[in-house]
Amino acid sequence: MSKRTEQAAGPRTAGPETTGATPATPQTSLELSRRRLLGTVGAAGAAGLVVGGAGAAIGVSATEPEQDAAKSVTTIGSTEVAFRPARARHQAGITTPLQATGHLVAFDLAPGAGRKEAAALLRRWSRTAEELMAGRAPAADTGVALDAGPSSLTVTFGFGHSFFGRTGLTARRPVQLDPLPDFSADALDPKRSNGDLWVQIGADDALVAFHALRALQKDAADSARLRWQMNGFNRTPGATARPMTARNLMGQLDGTNNPKPSDKDFDERIFVGRDAGQEWMRGGSYAVVRRIRMLLDDWEKRSRHEQERVIGRRKDDGAPLTGGSETTPMRLDATGPDGLPVIPSNAHARIAAPESNQGAAMLRRPFSFHDGYREDGAPDAGLLFVCWQADPLRAFTQVQRKLDRGDALSPFLRHEASGLFAVPPAAEPGGYVGRPLLEG
Amino acid sequence: MSKRTEQAAGPRTAGPETTGATPATPQTSLELSRRRLLGTVGAAGAAGLVVGGAGAAIGVSATEPEQDAAKSVTTIGSTEVAFRPARARHQAGITTPLQATGHLVAFDLAPGAGRKEAAALLRRWSRTAEELMAGRAPAADTGVALDAGPSSLTVTFGFGHSFFGRTGLTARRPVQLDPLPDFSADALDPKRSNGDLWVQIGADDALVAFHALRALQKDAADSARLRWQMNGFNRTPGATARPMTARNLMGQLDGTNNPKPSDKDFDERIFVGRDAGQEWMRGGSYAVVRRIRMLLDDWEKRSRHEQERVIGRRKDDGAPLTGGSETTPMRLDATGPDGLPVIPSNAHARIAAPESNQGAAMLRRPFSFHDGYREDGAPDAGLLFVCWQADPLRAFTQVQRKLDRGDALSPFLRHEASGLFAVPPAAEPGGYVGRPLLEG
């Protein structure tokens, strides 16, 4: 095993020349990503280790990219995301590029389990997550991930509203965890919503992700019980010739207008600052999780023209209907020959835009899901929407309230489950995620 | 778009030096695989096109492998499997290397639909499959696969027992489609079993696979209705440093003893020969499909030592308990100091071995599945077992009967759904899959 430490952009960022399209998620330039060779992979693997950095865009000077080096298939398995990102306080799995497979899981503390058991569980979970993310097997391992590298595995832990009551910590519960308001498009299943504890698992290999899910479930042992669990997916690295914004199951580019780490106010919008009230959350973020089923049978009956007017962007390249390319700003005031707005007044992209929401911005980092077909013959498929922000009230809730009142896309969506979680900063060396809360 | 035609091994076969471990599926050396560049991918992509051939092993001389060329990540998307494999009569998706994502789907002909409608449907399906496998979008496309290459997409069509009655073709129904016998470990759900028509979709990108599923479902229109549908997965290409036999969710290497195209009798065991009775099936194969749930909570409680005695092979490298490496033949007659067989008499690998089954051999090409958790808290996960053979009675049925009588693995498995399908040879140019049956 050889290891090397380098400053790197996300696994899918080949170099500055590929950044024409906005990536679905920002580069993990703030995270120190270690990469590892698995056994003997020869010249191809070695070349694949060299990934150009795009960190300069956010003021961190990047290592010199070796632009002509081929990125080998073998780097998919060997790519490792740091459990404790260097130069950042937040956990992995927030600014990490989208992975091909994801599991979202909620646990409830078992009857009788309180703060002490929760602390012990978070300690076990943190240790297991760190081992797995480094590609090491935990004790008494199932062997499911044997042979594979860490495959960009990330494990991210969060606390739900109910966690604080269970652990006697209501006094330290952030106001940001106050329940989301009801929305008219909601048809929420409480059994698949909320929960004391939330875990997000992502990896570029499905067996690596499943292995992590089972290992964490085993760690839960008698302290916590699985409440709900959802499976999702995104593009496989290399399925497109260059890194691109991801498409969702409606065929739309999804994430075009995401804030980027290069934005001056990225950190303050996405991560909890020093003045937010709960010091233990400083550097953390709040995740809103929604299972959004898409009424694909209805959607697919609409013409491409109709679909584009619902969204306000072109389907093929994501450019606004007012022209340009995916990254061209929308001209929200542009009108057509008929005097009507070119981007319709109820177009999804208009209503969700920061300009329409007092600058509200959240970092969307979803997975698609497909759980087969329902009894009524419709696909049980859509988006496991996960968004990140420093303050849900000023981000998700602000935007969703607006969408709920007149978004052209809403008739094609059903919000079926919902969760809101406080995701504390990464563990300190020797510590575990949530320690400043649980032992503070 | 540039195209080139070459004789190639499977997408995951980098060259002769990587063939030390038996791949999970044989190389597609018999298939002429065209590869395509997506837009401008530069030197990395171009280098990735060159894949060493392993065809020599089956008597087809391979192109000279360029062993030092890096296999680029971008080849994952650009790899194309031919809808009409050259030098082979069978459809794609049988000897094609395992893909990362799979959908298994069964349809029933709609009330009133018969032979004519079935023929028109197979014509539409064949056209759509050929377009999609070449990375082209069908008419009125949903756009879900836009940007991605074909990503090794395969679409494979089969006919169930009931198809022949529905189309007035019972006289031409092969005896090989006679229903499988009942097995004591079966707990089959008829709603998720059998069906008039079966489609297997595989791709290395989940959106490409989902896109194909929806396109084929749209083609079915009023002629056929979805009966059941299952989702599966395997390793992502590049998750391991070199091609390896796949692991299943029990952590076992699964497919070690698969017949290889280099075996002298491979074709006669897997594909229908000239003397099998139904000329329209010549060059085709029979697929047995089983949804096998694994009782993972029970399995994971056993020690590695116990698990290895259940299987008869070592967990880490798949070597027989009698020693050697994964490819070393089992020494079934070896006994230990206690006088008992080293490979226990009820070990799975012993009972399933061709030596124990009059040489019976089938080509296993499964996907793992994970559909979340059941009401009882157990994972709804296991294997979408798909196996291929010229004669199910002498292959799957022979072996499963033996396993059913005393296999040590059976207590950890539940067979929950079952299907048996006649998978005709590939379409002739200008024709469609099944035409010799439907228009013969």
Side-chain angles (χ1 to χ4, degrees):
Chain A
M1 301 281 179
S2 73
K3 280 205 180 213
R4 54 187 275 178
T5 304
E6 62 178 317
Q7 199 163 295
R12 286 169 222 183
T13 309
E17 79 281 8
T18 63
T19 54
T22 309
T25 53
Q27 294 83 17
T28 50
S29 338
L30 282 173
E31 298 178 4
L32 196 71
S33 175
R34 292 168 292 158
R35 282 145 201 291
R36 197 178 62 151
L37 269 177
L38 291 166
T40 311
V41 299
L49 289 181
V50 182
V51 177
I58 44 166
V60 180
S61 105
T63 51
E64 195 64 34
E66 299 188 20
Q67 298 190 22
D68 55 352
K71 187 165 190 300
S72 164
V73 166
T74 54
T75 59
I76 291 177
S78 60
T79 298
E80 183 179 329
V81 181
F83 180 63
R84 291 185 186 82
R87 297 164 200 260
R89 295 175 61 102
H90 59 82
Q91 292 185 58
I94 303 174
T95 60
T96 311
L98 296 173
Q99 295 113 325
T101 304
H103 299 301
L104 308 182
V105 206
F107 291 85
D108 285 334
L109 288 171
R115 183 168 166 182
K116 189 180 134 206
E117 290 76 13
L121 174 56
L122 265 298
R123 187 183 284 279
R124 289 196 297 276
W125 271 355
S126 296
R127 191 176 50 225
T128 298
E130 183 166 14
E131 293 292 297
L132 295 176
M133 286 173 61
R136 292 188 292 266
D141 184 45
T142 60
V144 171
L146 274 176
D147 320 324
S151 306
S152 298
L153 175 71
T154 58
V155 180
T156 316
F157 301 103
F159 303 134
H161 187 274
S162 55
F163 179 77
F164 296 82
R166 298 298 312 278
T167 52
L169 290 163
T170 43
R172 302 182 71 192
R173 184 170 59 212
V175 292
Q176 289 84 352
L177 274 188
D178 284 354
L180 300 173
D182 293 334
F183 301 105
S184 67
D186 286 358
L188 304 181
D189 176 358
K191 284 196 297 186
R192 293 194 289 183
S193 296
N194 301 313
D196 294 344
L197 293 152
W198 178 66
V199 185
Q200 173 191 259
I201 298 167
D204 278 333
D205 180 74
L207 282 110
V208 167
F210 182 81
H211 177 251
L213 171 64
R214 292 295 287 170
L216 294 162
Q217 199 185 352
K218 187 176 171 189
D219 278 346
D222 297 331
S223 327
R225 294 176 181 171
L226 194 135
R227 178 182 172 91
W228 54 257
Q229 189 268 320
M230 300 174 188
N231 298 325
F233 57 90
N234 284 301
R235 278 266 134 84
T236 299
T240 58
R242 59 175 199 284
M244 294 188 66
T245 306
R247 287 188 191 272
N248 61 34
L249 297 187
M250 287 177 153
Q252 305 295 331
L253 290 173
D254 196 327
T256 295
N257 218 1
N258 251 346
K260 295 160 222 11
S262 55
D263 297 346
K264 215 171 48 182
D265 53 1
F266 180 80
D267 272 12
E268 84 185 55
R269 286 161 182 269
I270 308 305
F271 299 114
V272 176
R274 72 183 69 192
D275 304 320
Q278 292 292 352
E279 180 59 24
W280 67 269
M281 267 299 285
R282 188 176 158 201
S285 186
Y286 291 91
V288 174
V289 181
R290 312 278 284 188
R291 185 188 203 266
I292 306 179
R293 183 163 58 89
M294 295 169 168
L295 308 188
L296 292 178
D297 289 332
D298 295 346
W299 177 253
E300 292 170 5
K301 279 182 199 128
R302 305 299 166 114
S303 69
R304 181 161 297 203
H305 177 71
E306 289 173 299
Q307 292 179 355
E308 290 180 339
R309 287 183 55 81
V310 166
I311 302 295
R313 291 182 174 275
R314 289 203 302 252
K315 195 156 185 179
D316 55 355
D317 63 0
L321 294 184
T322 45
S325 67
E326 185 187 357
T327 51
T328 305
M330 291 185 280
R331 287 168 40 223
L332 294 175
D333 54 358
T335 51
D338 56 4
L340 294 172
V342 176
I343 296 174
S345 58
N346 64 351
H348 180 76
R350 172 191 291 274
I351 295 180
E355 301 90 306
S356 313
N357 291 282
Q358 296 135 41
M362 52 196 162
L363 177 64
R364 285 171 289 150
R365 190 177 183 280
F367 294 90
S368 289
F369 74 88
H370 173 221
D371 293 337
Y373 286 77
R374 293 156 50 94
E375 287 288 324
D376 63 7
D380 191 8
L383 200 68
L384 299 181
F385 174 95
V386 181
C387 78
W388 299 90
Q389 58 258 295
D391 184 353
L393 192 66
R394 288 165 55 198
F396 174 80
T397 300
Q398 158 72 30
V399 174
Q400 187 58 27
R401 272 203 174 115
K402 270 206 104 145
L403 291 171
D404 201 43
R405 277 199 290 268
D407 168 42
L409 186 60
S410 292
F412 300 97
L413 304 177
R414 290 289 178 278
H415 288 241
E416 299 188 329
S418 178
L420 170 59
F421 303 98
V423 175
E428 300 286 334
Y432 57 89
V433 175
R435 180 175 177 173
L437 169 68
L438 291 160
E439 298 185 23
Chain B
M1 301 284 178
S2 72
K3 284 206 178 211
R4 54 185 277 178
T5 304
E6 62 176 317
Q7 200 163 295
R12 286 171 223 182
T13 308
E17 78 281 9
T18 63
T19 52
T22 309
T25 52
Q27 292 84 17
T28 50
S29 338
L30 282 171
E31 297 178 4
L32 196 70
S33 175
R34 291 168 292 156
R35 282 145 201 287
R36 197 179 62 152
L37 268 178
L38 291 166
T40 311
V41 298
L49 289 181
V50 183
V51 176
I58 45 165
V60 180
S61 109
T63 50
E64 196 62 33
E66 300 189 19
Q67 299 190 23
D68 56 352
K71 189 165 188 299
S72 165
V73 167
T74 55
T75 58
I76 290 177
S78 60
T79 299
E80 184 181 328
V81 180
F83 180 63
R84 290 186 187 82
R87 299 166 199 256
R89 294 175 60 106
H90 58 82
Q91 293 184 59
I94 303 174
T95 60
T96 311
L98 296 173
Q99 294 113 325
T101 304
H103 299 301
L104 307 182
V105 206
F107 292 86
D108 284 334
L109 288 170
R115 183 167 165 180
K116 191 180 132 203
E117 290 76 13
L121 173 56
L122 266 296
R123 186 183 287 279
R124 290 197 296 277
W125 271 355
S126 296
R127 191 176 51 226
T128 297
E130 183 167 14
E131 293 293 296
L132 294 176
M133 284 172 63
R136 292 188 293 266
D141 183 45
T142 60
V144 171
L146 274 175
D147 320 323
S151 306
S152 299
L153 175 71
T154 58
V155 181
T156 315
F157 301 104
F159 303 133
H161 187 273
S162 55
F163 179 77
F164 296 82
R166 297 298 312 277
T167 52
L169 289 164
T170 43
R172 301 182 71 192
R173 183 170 60 212
V175 292
Q176 289 84 352
L177 275 188
D178 285 355
L180 300 173
D182 294 333
F183 300 105
S184 67
D186 286 358
L188 304 180
D189 177 358
K191 285 196 298 187
R192 294 193 289 183
S193 296
N194 301 312
D196 294 345
L197 293 152
W198 178 67
V199 185
Q200 174 192 258
I201 297 167
D204 277 334
D205 179 76
L207 282 111
V208 166
F210 182 80
H211 177 252
L213 172 64
R214 292 296 286 169
L216 294 163
Q217 201 185 351
K218 187 176 172 192
D219 278 346
D222 297 330
S223 324
R225 293 176 182 171
L226 193 135
R227 177 182 173 91
W228 54 257
Q229 190 266 320
M230 300 173 188
N231 297 326
F233 57 90
N234 284 300
R235 279 267 135 85
T236 299
T240 57
R242 60 177 197 282
M244 293 187 68
T245 306
R247 284 188 194 271
N248 61 34
L249 297 187
M250 286 178 154
Q252 304 296 331
L253 291 173
D254 196 327
T256 295
N257 218 0
N258 252 345
K260 297 156 217 20
S262 56
D263 297 346
K264 216 171 48 181
D265 53 1
F266 180 80
D267 273 13
E268 83 186 56
R269 284 161 184 269
I270 309 305
F271 299 114
V272 176
R274 73 184 69 194
D275 304 321
Q278 292 291 351
E279 180 59 23
W280 66 269
M281 266 299 285
R282 190 177 154 198
S285 186
Y286 291 90
V288 174
V289 180
R290 313 277 286 188
R291 184 188 203 267
I292 306 178
R293 181 161 61 87
M294 294 169 169
L295 307 187
L296 291 178
D297 289 332
D298 295 345
W299 177 253
E300 293 170 4
K301 277 180 202 133
R302 305 299 166 117
S303 69
R304 180 161 299 203
H305 177 71
E306 288 172 302
Q307 292 179 354
E308 290 181 338
R309 287 183 53 82
V310 165
I311 301 296
R313 291 181 174 275
R314 288 203 302 252
K315 195 154 184 179
D316 55 355
D317 63 0
L321 294 185
T322 45
S325 68
E326 186 187 359
T327 51
T328 305
M330 290 185 281
R331 287 169 38 223
L332 294 174
D333 52 0
T335 51
D338 56 3
L340 295 171
V342 176
I343 297 173
S345 58
N346 64 349
H348 181 75
R350 172 191 293 274
I351 295 181
E355 301 89 303
S356 314
N357 291 281
Q358 295 135 43
M362 51 195 164
L363 177 64
R364 285 171 288 152
R365 190 177 183 279
F367 294 90
S368 288
F369 74 89
H370 174 220
D371 293 337
Y373 285 77
R374 294 155 50 94
E375 288 288 324
D376 62 7
D380 191 8
L383 199 68
L384 299 180
F385 175 95
V386 181
C387 77
W388 300 88
Q389 59 258 295
D391 184 352
L393 192 65
R394 288 167 53 196
F396 174 79
T397 301
Q398 158 73 31
V399 174
Q400 187 58 28
R401 273 203 175 117
K402 270 205 102 144
L403 291 172
D404 202 40
R405 276 199 290 266
D407 168 42
L409 185 59
S410 292
F412 300 96
L413 305 177
R414 291 289 178 276
H415 288 242
E416 299 188 330
S418 177
L420 170 59
F421 303 98
V423 175
E428 299 285 333
Y432 57 88
V433 174
R435 181 173 177 175
L437 169 69
L438 291 160
E439 297 184 24

